[in-house]
Amino acid sequence: MAMADFMRRLASAAASETLPRFRAAGAVANKYSVGFDPVTEADREAERVIRDLIRAEFPDDGILGEEHGGEKQDSERIWVIDPIDGTRAFISGVPVWGTLVGLTVRGKAVCGMMSQPFTGELYYGTEDGAFYEGPGGPRRLATRRLPSLADATLFTTTPALFAGDLRLRYDRLEKAVRLARYGTDCYGFAMVAAGHADLAVDAGLQSYDIVGLIPVIEGAGGVVTTWEGGPAENGGDIIAAATPDIHAQALAAIRG
């Protein structure tokens, strides 16, 4: 479980930078000249300490981070980092943000984690499966096995992410499920892995928004793809489903 131990170290290091700044009056910068894409000191500092640990442990590996860019991108092994996925939630005091770190080998996500330090939760996936550590005690993660999309629970960050035809396709999916919940960022994807939800969808994701989550969801028995059914590692319009059958039903609803 050496990789699991490293995930714990990454989560702890990131938490040392994010938790003291959560629900505190820190400065927020805007990445956009038009619109709003916030970034905080917590984002930058959490990514810095994560990168330092990766460089020390795996000096030959590449790194791609949301805040500090890429290095050694020709490596077969690349660590992909989103220090705070859900910065809007972070600056609003809502604990559905998380630290995402994933490792790709030749473009395939092979291990990853989502850490939510305020609630004391760590979700991670390795070659040994997917696991949870936090309140209630450690356990192996397993997705829920519903037979019908009509009984499913769906998470999305906000339907406002979907524009034009994409919104029409999303609306078809939402109408096909039993319950839709908004505002969950990466936490909604973790809930699919934990068996509390059946679908999570978001539009326009970057690789660092999803790579850390893929091994967690797949290790728990789920499926993560683009809306076209392709690999999710490069981001895009992403769907995570609890089972291959629910995934197929959801894609059919999206396609109409």
Side-chain angles (χ1 to χ4, degrees):
M1 295 292 283
M3 193 57 75
D5 290 338
F6 188 59
M7 294 288 168
R8 295 184 192 103
R9 289 171 56 201
L10 292 175
S12 177
S16 71
E17 300 294 338
T18 57
L19 274 183
R21 296 174 170 95
F22 182 52
R23 295 182 177 172
V28 178
N30 186 9
K31 297 180 185 179
Y32 290 169
S33 58
V34 177
F36 184 55
D37 186 16
V39 62
T40 70
E41 182 181 57
D43 291 89
R44 298 189 180 102
E45 291 304 302
E47 183 172 321
R48 179 184 60 79
V49 296
I50 291 169
R51 294 172 85 104
D52 286 347
L53 280 174
I54 292 169
R55 291 187 192 111
E57 191 79 15
F58 304 102
D60 296 326
D61 289 3
I63 301 175
L64 177 63
E66 180 177 15
E67 307 305 335
H68 297 294
E71 57 186 78
K72 298 181 182 177
Q73 294 298 282
D74 57 347
S75 174
E76 285 192 347
R77 291 165 48 96
I78 296 178
W79 293 86
V80 185
I81 307 164
D82 191 344
I84 299 178
D85 182 87
T87 302
R88 290 173 176 83
F90 183 91
I91 65 175
S92 302
V94 182
V96 293
W97 55 276
T99 295
L100 301 180
V101 183
L103 172 65
T104 63
V105 177
R106 294 182 294 276
K108 171 66 177 174
V110 298
C111 67
M113 72 168 205
M114 192 286 279
S115 167
Q116 210 318 303
F118 188 77
T119 59
E121 295 177 288
L122 176 63
Y123 301 80
Y124 64 91
T126 69
E127 63 182 7
D128 298 311
F131 303 89
Y132 166 86
E133 295 176 5
R139 66 178 184 273
R140 181 180 288 269
L141 294 173
T143 58
R144 190 158 61 186
R145 320 304 284 182
L146 288 183
S148 173
L149 186 65
D151 297 320
T153 296
L154 163 72
F155 282 130
T156 190
T157 300
T158 170
L161 290 172
F162 306 95
D165 180 64
L166 206 61
R167 180 58 184 267
L168 296 176
R169 297 167 72 191
Y170 169 78
D171 287 344
R172 284 199 296 266
L173 177 60
E174 183 174 310
K175 290 175 183 176
V177 304
R178 182 178 66 176
L179 174 64
R181 300 292 296 165
Y182 307 150
T184 51
D185 295 292
C186 60
Y187 202 82
F189 286 83
M191 293 301 95
V192 174
H196 303 304
D198 309 287
L199 291 163
V201 297
D202 271 328
L205 298 188
Q206 302 297 318
S207 59
Y208 43 74
D209 296 315
I210 192 63
V211 164
L213 292 161
I214 293 172
V216 183
I217 296 165
E218 291 184 343
V223 180
V224 188
T225 71
T226 65
W227 283 23
E228 288 70 43
E233 278 84 354
N234 291 326
D237 305 324
I238 302 299
I239 178 168
T243 67
D245 191 40
I246 290 293
H247 179 260
Q249 292 179 54
L251 287 186
I254 286 170
R255 291 166 181 158

